[in-house]
Amino acid sequence: MPNVYAIGDLHLSLSVPNKAMDVFGAHWSGHTERILEAWQDTVKDADLVLVPGDVSWAMYLKDAQADLDFIGALRGTKLLLRGNHDYWWQSVTRVRAALPEKTFALQNDVFRFGDVFVAGTRGWTVPQSPRFKESADRKLFARECIRLDLSLSKLPKDAPCIGMLHYPPFSESGEQTAFSERFEQAGVSNVVYGHLHGASHRTAFEGESNGVRYHLVSADYLHFVPKRIL
């Protein structure tokens, strides 16, 4: 039976100079090669891998192509979500046209993989966060709630469902948010998310809450090894 894995925040930069991730710590050294080795050792061709955002440092789609082709050559079916650093991801139609074989983009819709369905959106800083600024964040937060509603509304009833976010679904103190509440109401069984790095890992909620199991899958948190979700 195929497995579902997840790993986010790949931060690839195959065509972007001066973006070596080891400036953020020695644990990032050689991370592209480590992702390649761990992915190929873990994932089988029949599996699905969820990549919840921050795929490439590129600013434009043409510059992200090398990173997308790198992902496309990896084993399994790949499902990408936009992260806050994915500036190259503007028109989802153009993104989908550029994706290699067995590589897909999730935005405002649902992805089906056998009997499993995946829904989600990028997310945003939540109002419960001390970093939330009303003038800068409220409109973006509201838009992401609408996008999540659009995606979740397309889920079938009584089928295994996974949620994807780039931003955390909880506040730093573990408070429920509009995102976590929506996943609960939709009957999603697992949610994967990324965005957090380094010391921020300590603020991540992992485990079960109100029937939903949450997984932090930032690449550095996973030591660059995809995590099995189902």
Side-chain angles (χ1 to χ4, degrees):
M1 181 176 178
N3 296 310
V4 179
Y5 292 92
I7 181 169
D9 300 84
L10 304 182
H11 288 291
L12 299 174
S13 56
L14 295 178
S15 63
V16 180
N18 303 319
K19 277 296 185 180
M21 288 296 292
D22 53 9
V23 300
F24 298 105
H27 61 289
W28 280 98
S29 181
H31 86 287
T32 303
E33 293 76 16
R34 293 165 68 189
I35 289 169
L36 172 62
E37 181 178 0
W39 191 308
Q40 300 297 74
D41 286 346
T42 304
V43 178
K44 301 295 186 289
D45 288 334
D47 296 335
L48 171 66
V49 184
L50 309 177
V51 183
D54 282 3
V55 176
S56 169
W57 277 117
M59 296 295 293
Y60 303 100
L61 180 57
K62 63 181 178 61
D63 298 322
Q65 193 64 61
D67 297 329
L68 297 177
D69 290 343
F70 172 85
I71 293 171
L74 298 171
R75 289 179 177 167
T77 296
K78 284 74 64 171
L79 181 61
L80 311 183
L81 187 75
R82 185 181 183 183
N84 62 303
H85 288 298
D86 288 318
Y87 297 110
W88 56 273
W89 186 318
Q90 296 296 321
S91 162
V92 70
T93 301
R94 290 185 59 212
V95 169
R96 285 172 173 157
L99 293 177
E101 185 180 0
K102 295 185 68 176
T103 307
F104 302 89
L106 181 68
Q107 184 171 310
N108 299 342
D109 55 5
V110 161
F111 182 79
R112 181 175 183 176
F113 181 74
D115 294 331
V116 176
F117 293 81
V118 185
T121 191
R122 176 180 60 182
W124 199 252
T125 304
V126 296
Q128 294 89 337
S129 170
R131 295 195 304 273
F132 186 86
K133 294 180 172 54
E134 187 70 31
S135 60
D137 295 320
R138 176 64 66 179
K139 183 177 180 179
L140 290 166
F141 169 75
R143 183 179 68 185
E144 289 301 309
C145 287
I146 292 170
R147 286 181 166 174
L148 183 55
D149 286 338
L150 283 170
S151 185
L152 292 173
S153 70
K154 296 176 172 64
L155 287 175
K157 301 295 184 183
D158 303 320
C161 299
I162 299 175
M164 286 179 76
L165 283 178
H166 175 64
Y167 281 80
F170 293 92
S171 72
E172 292 90 333
S173 60
E175 294 173 273
Q176 290 271 7
T177 71
F179 297 132
S180 62
E181 290 170 357
R182 280 165 164 79
F183 285 127
E184 291 175 17
Q185 292 164 6
V188 168
S189 60
N190 288 270
V191 172
V192 301
Y193 69 98
H195 187 64
L196 302 179
H197 302 292
S200 295
H201 292 158
R202 293 196 294 269
T203 70
F205 178 85
E206 283 204 287
E208 187 170 329
S209 175
N210 296 331
V212 183
R213 183 162 294 277
Y214 295 88
H215 310 262
L216 173 62
V217 296
S218 302
D220 56 323
Y221 181 71
L222 299 180
H223 304 288
F224 308 101
V225 181
K227 179 179 180 179
R228 184 175 177 270
I229 307 300
L230 288 177

